[in-house]
Amino acid sequence: MSLPLPFPPVLPPEMDHKGSEYKRSLSANVQSDRFESLGSQLLYRLSRTGMTSYFLGVEDNGAHSMLSFEEMSASFHCLEKLCENFGAMILKSVDVDAEMLNVPEGVVNRSAVKTLMEAGANIIWFHQDYPDFAQTKTNVCRIEVEISQLKVEHSRARIVSADDIMEVGITTEHKQPPSPPLKCTPSPTTMLPTTSSSSNSISSADEAGDVFGDTISQALRILVLGNVDAGKSTIVGSLTTQTLDDGRGSCRLQIMKHRHEITTGRTSTVSNHHMGFDREGKVRSQNGNKVRRMTEEEVVRGSSRLITFTDLCGHEKYLKTTVGGVSASMGDYALMICNSRHPPTHMTHHHLNLCSSTLVPAVIVLTKIDGCPPHQLKNTIKEVKAMCRQGDVNKVPFMVQTTSDLDECFNKMGRLSPIILTSAVTGEGMDLLKYLLFNLPKRRKHEKKLNRPFEFLVDEIFNVPGVGPIASGFVNAGRISVGDMVFVGPLDDGTYIQTMVKSAHIARTPSSALKAGQSASMCMSLNKNERKFLRKGMVVVKENPKRSCLSFLAEICVMKGDHTTIRRNYQAHVHILNIRQTATARRIEIFDPKEKDNKVIMTKTLAGAETVGDDLILRPGCRAKVLFEFVKRPEHIRPGMRMLFRDGRVRGVGIIKEVVDTKGS
């Protein structure tokens, strides 16, 4: 029969910031763009607390869509596919008895209704929404569904039970007739945020808007270095996608960003890629139905161990980009990729020397062993071992053939350099590499910086039309929430701009909070005149520093290996974390580290140092205190930061001891 219209709304209008979604109906092919869009919407709703409610058959203004049971059933099955593909699950009913069905007699198949409700659909019939029409026999209905995010982190999760759900307080905002109790049934490993027995609230991490918990901040950050054409991007692509290369670059095409990189096969930019492991050490890259690869946010959400690869450039003309990536990436370890079919080149040696100087343990990976002649492989291994033993690297090479060999290395990575033979075409040695990545201990303890003042290092600046300026980088210390007031700078005059954090994203997923150890991006509220001052190398802080550093005193060590001469007024390009700028050496003092209080000396006897008139000359191996002055603009630095300096190649490393001169308000 025809239904009189209009009917009053069944729910209040939908609100974007709430954890619920209204849908008239759902219908999309799994491989379509519409399906991806619906999945992103689902992830957004889950991003705050890990829970969301879907109301099918409801318009955005809260009105009833007046759709039939068959149409609602098709929408529910589409929602099931979305949950399966995007790391979520529908909370299911324990049992459904006849009294719960409330099925209009003679218009709907009762068994079909029962099957749908047992799958987690709470069906609200027309006569339940509008009791005045209780005598009307129609199959018009709407469906409410409770959805939970799948989590497997040990520290913030536990198995779901009906008591847990009641404790967390999962309820719809607008109550309907009693619905069946909820239960999580698909897997005993399904997780929800841990709740406190003394309060009816979700975990503090979720209250703070932390989307991924400790997954991002505890990620193992791996630098991927090596000479051009060694196969760095191919190895990263094979590991992250869990596919084998076809020998013509199919894996590297999965991760390259620019057309010229795809054409030439050479990486020219710094890019980050995620690889996730579950608790058993299995790589998470593809859904169970194998329709498509997991998106970046799906990998991050469901991983108990996350690896972040920083793919760096190998060609010598991109050395500036590579050194900047090493300085700013906060790497725990490095994969030194070498082509087994050729002996290591001078760039391989330089990259390994760079890792050794910055105290980043390196794992040497020999690639392309398929088809490599045995005598050439033997010669390459011999030269790699000799390179490791050189004085400027000073590592002990260790051939790895079994997992037992790797177990011997984990606690000795500061001294050893494991050598693993791999092939991305045949898959040989890739399991050993995955075992190594899964079991390597975390070196950098970012959780110790949570109580320090907030500091966000800006690596990239984007301007998105309709959104505003976006700063991408690394949270070096502290924590912040969306809506907080911050200061961005320094500008050329040493001052800072006050602004507000409008939004934040982690792994392309919205988040309302950021904390130390996370790579993230944030949108800031700046006008057109202020946007033009943004640049790489800036910092975002909560407290206004007011002044910025113009000159600083650093304790440096000139790297061995290359012939170089450093004297007063020497200019070099300085890398201090995300800062890259030319600086001039205004004063040099050679000191003896063996003397008490680092007593300054000016003799010819220390590490080849010479005196020429009143000036000093530094040679490879020298240690000295140098007063550097920035050439172009002041920067935000503080004592304790590590630095690299280069004039072409990297010439030395150091640590900042004192800020000497400042500029600002």
Side-chain angles (χ1 to χ4, degrees):
M1 65 176 288
S2 61
L3 298 174
L5 295 173
F7 287 96
V10 291
L11 296 173
E14 182 183 28
M15 301 181 70
D16 290 338
H17 65 278
K18 294 291 185 180
S20 58
E21 181 70 31
Y22 296 178
K23 288 293 181 185
R24 175 182 177 86
S25 63
L26 289 174
S27 177
N29 186 281
V30 175
Q31 296 181 337
S32 66
D33 293 338
R34 170 65 176 163
F35 191 83
E36 294 290 333
S37 177
L38 291 172
S40 298
Q41 197 173 47
L42 172 62
L43 292 174
Y44 172 75
R45 292 299 185 186
L46 291 169
S47 63
R48 290 191 63 84
T49 64
M51 301 292 299
T52 187
S53 301
Y54 264 62
F55 298 90
L56 306 180
V58 181
E59 306 293 332
D60 288 344
N61 62 1
H64 204 304
S65 298
M66 298 298 172
L67 299 180
S68 66
F69 171 76
E70 288 74 17
E71 292 173 295
M72 288 294 94
S73 177
S75 296
F76 179 78
H77 292 315
C78 181
L79 185 59
E80 286 184 313
K81 292 180 182 178
L82 282 170
C83 293
E84 180 183 356
N85 282 270
F86 287 90
M89 60 165 293
I90 294 174
L91 299 178
K92 300 184 179 181
S93 301
V94 181
D95 291 306
V96 178
D97 55 31
E99 295 181 357
M100 295 180 179
L101 298 181
N102 291 314
V103 179
E105 294 295 336
V107 294
V108 181
N109 186 306
R110 293 178 63 87
S111 63
V113 174
K114 184 177 181 180
T115 301
L116 213 62
M117 294 186 70
E118 288 177 344
N122 181 22
I123 303 175
I124 311 298
W125 298 99
F126 175 79
H127 67 268
Q128 292 176 288
D129 278 325
Y130 304 105
D132 293 342
F133 297 91
Q135 302 303 319
T136 303
K137 290 187 177 182
T138 176
N139 65 349
V140 171
C141 65
R142 59 187 180 87
I143 293 178
E144 296 179 2
V145 185
E146 296 288 348
I147 300 176
S148 167
Q149 164 188 325
L150 289 176
K151 291 188 178 182
V152 294
E153 295 95 338
H154 294 281
S155 59
R156 302 177 57 248
R158 65 178 181 184
I159 298 176
V160 174
S161 67
D163 293 336
D164 292 331
I165 295 171
M166 296 305 294
E167 184 181 351
V168 176
I170 302 172
T171 58
T172 57
E173 188 172 345
H174 316 287
K175 296 196 174 188
Q176 300 296 333
S179 59
L182 300 173
K183 180 185 177 183
C184 171
T185 57
S187 169
T189 61
T190 303
M191 303 290 180
L192 274 182
T194 304
T195 59
S196 170
S197 59
S198 60
S199 65
N200 293 325
S201 61
I202 58 176
S203 68
S204 59
D206 287 332
E207 286 178 343
D210 186 2
V211 180
F212 301 107
D214 294 330
T215 306
I216 290 284
S217 57
Q218 294 296 326
L220 196 70
R221 305 176 73 86
I222 304 292
L223 307 176
V224 184
L225 295 159
N227 189 42
V228 64
D229 298 332
K232 298 182 295 298
S233 298
T234 299
I235 283 288
V236 174
S238 180
L239 288 172
T240 54
T241 63
Q242 284 301 282
T243 57
L244 295 178
D245 191 60
D246 61 357
R248 295 185 296 274
S250 62
C251 283
R252 72 167 180 252
L253 295 179
Q254 308 267 1
I255 64 172
M256 284 185 166
K257 299 194 299 184
H258 302 293
R259 181 178 294 275
H260 68 271
E261 291 181 332
I262 297 173
T263 304
T264 63
R266 294 176 177 176
T267 302
S268 62
T269 57
V270 178
S271 59
N272 292 322
H273 309 278
H274 295 305
M275 174 186 181
F277 291 93
D278 60 20
R279 285 182 291 183
E280 287 74 31
K282 183 179 179 181
V283 179
R284 303 182 72 255
S285 63
Q286 203 168 34
N287 284 320
N289 57 17
K290 297 186 179 181
V291 174
R292 61 174 180 82
R293 273 186 26 232
M294 285 185 176
T295 60
E296 186 175 283
E297 56 265 36
E298 290 176 294
V299 171
V300 175
R301 283 179 183 277
S303 299
S304 60
R305 182 68 186 275
L306 186 68
I307 309 296
T308 300
F309 293 105
T310 301
D311 190 19
L312 299 167
C313 317
H315 200 284
E316 189 168 3
K317 71 177 181 179
Y318 302 126
L319 181 61
K320 174 183 176 181
T321 304
T322 300
V323 175
V326 172
S327 175
S329 296
M330 301 286 185
D332 290 290
Y333 300 91
L335 292 184
M336 189 61 55
I337 311 298
C338 302
N339 188 348
S340 63
R341 302 176 186 179
H342 302 284
T345 65
H346 67 286
M347 284 308 299
T348 305
H349 186 187
H350 191 64
H351 287 178
L352 191 58
N353 189 7
L354 181 61
C355 291
S356 179
S357 301
T358 54
L359 305 181
V360 178
V363 177
I364 298 175
V365 180
L366 296 184
T367 60
K368 306 181 183 181
I369 63 171
D370 56 293
C372 179
H375 71 279
Q376 181 60 58
L377 179 61
K378 182 178 179 180
N379 182 59
T380 301
I381 294 174
K382 179 181 177 181
E383 294 202 24
V384 166
K385 289 182 176 180
M387 180 179 63
C388 291
R389 294 190 181 101
Q390 289 187 17
D392 54 344
V393 177
N394 195 25
K395 296 288 185 180
V396 178
F398 183 77
M399 287 298 301
V400 172
Q401 296 180 345
T402 64
T403 56
S404 299
D405 295 337
L406 287 175
D407 292 336
E408 296 291 330
C409 298
F410 292 138
N411 295 326
K412 305 171 185 176
M413 291 298 296
R415 189 73 182 93
L416 296 180
S417 284
I419 301 175
I420 302 177
L421 308 181
T422 64
S423 169
V425 175
T426 64
E428 185 178 352
M430 298 299 285
D431 289 338
L432 277 177
L433 191 54
K434 295 172 192 173
Y435 181 85
L436 171 77
L437 295 172
F438 180 68
N439 290 282
L440 275 175
K442 175 76 175 172
R443 287 181 59 245
R444 298 183 185 270
K445 307 297 182 183
H446 297 292
E447 62 273 11
K448 295 181 179 179
K449 302 180 182 179
L450 289 176
N451 295 325
R452 283 171 43 182
F454 177 74
E455 184 179 77
F456 181 81
L457 309 177
V458 179
D459 285 334
E460 296 286 346
I461 295 292
F462 307 96
N463 191 17
V464 180
V467 177
I470 307 294
S472 174
F474 182 78
V475 185
N476 191 39
R479 62 181 80 215
I480 200 170
S481 300
V482 172
D484 288 352
M485 300 303 296
V486 294
F487 294 88
V488 185
L491 307 182
D492 289 351
D493 60 358
T495 60
Y496 292 75
I497 303 173
Q498 185 175 12
T499 183
M500 184 188 72
V501 180
K502 292 169 57 178
S503 63
H505 279 67
I506 304 173
R508 302 180 184 177
T509 303
S511 175
S512 59
L514 303 176
K515 67 180 182 180
Q518 295 177 336
S519 292
S521 59
M522 62 171 67
C523 177
M524 294 173 289
S525 179
L526 296 172
N527 59 41
K528 289 185 178 180
N529 291 329
E530 293 172 333
R531 292 178 189 178
K532 63 184 181 182
F533 294 117
L534 293 181
R535 58 175 176 83
K536 298 178 184 179
M538 280 187 163
V539 66
V540 181
V541 293
K542 267 191 176 181
E543 301 175 2
N544 189 357
K546 296 184 179 179
R547 301 185 66 85
S548 304
C549 174
L550 199 57
S551 61
F552 61 92
L553 185 65
E555 182 181 311
I556 69 166
C557 178
V558 183
M559 292 172 58
K560 297 179 181 179
D562 292 325
H563 299 289
T564 185
T565 300
I566 297 175
R567 65 181 70 198
R568 191 164 58 89
N569 292 331
Y570 164 81
Q571 282 195 341
H573 205 73
V574 175
H575 295 264
I576 307 171
L577 296 183
N578 64 322
I579 298 170
R580 307 167 194 179
Q581 192 185 154
T582 302
T584 303
R586 294 302 185 192
R587 187 177 74 246
I588 299 175
E589 298 175 350
I590 296 180
F591 70 94
D592 188 351
K594 298 180 181 179
E595 292 288 338
K596 187 177 180 180
D597 299 327
N598 291 339
K599 181 181 178 181
V600 175
I601 60 175
M602 289 188 178
T603 67
K604 299 181 180 181
T605 59
L606 179 62
E610 302 175 2
T611 58
V612 180
D614 294 329
D615 207 356
L616 287 176
I617 294 178
L618 302 183
R619 303 291 188 187
C622 283
R623 295 186 64 182
K625 288 183 178 179
V626 179
L627 178 64
F628 284 100
E629 180 181 343
F630 288 119
V631 171
K632 189 173 183 181
R633 65 174 75 88
E635 299 285 2
H636 177 86
I637 65 174
R638 49 183 169 73
M641 285 184 169
R642 293 187 179 273
M643 61 170 288
L644 299 168
F645 62 92
R646 63 177 185 84
D647 55 7
R649 296 204 186 169
V650 177
R651 301 304 182 187
V653 297
I655 186 169
I656 297 172
K657 292 296 184 178
E658 180 185 353
V659 174
V660 178
D661 190 16
T662 60
K663 184 179 181 181
S665 58

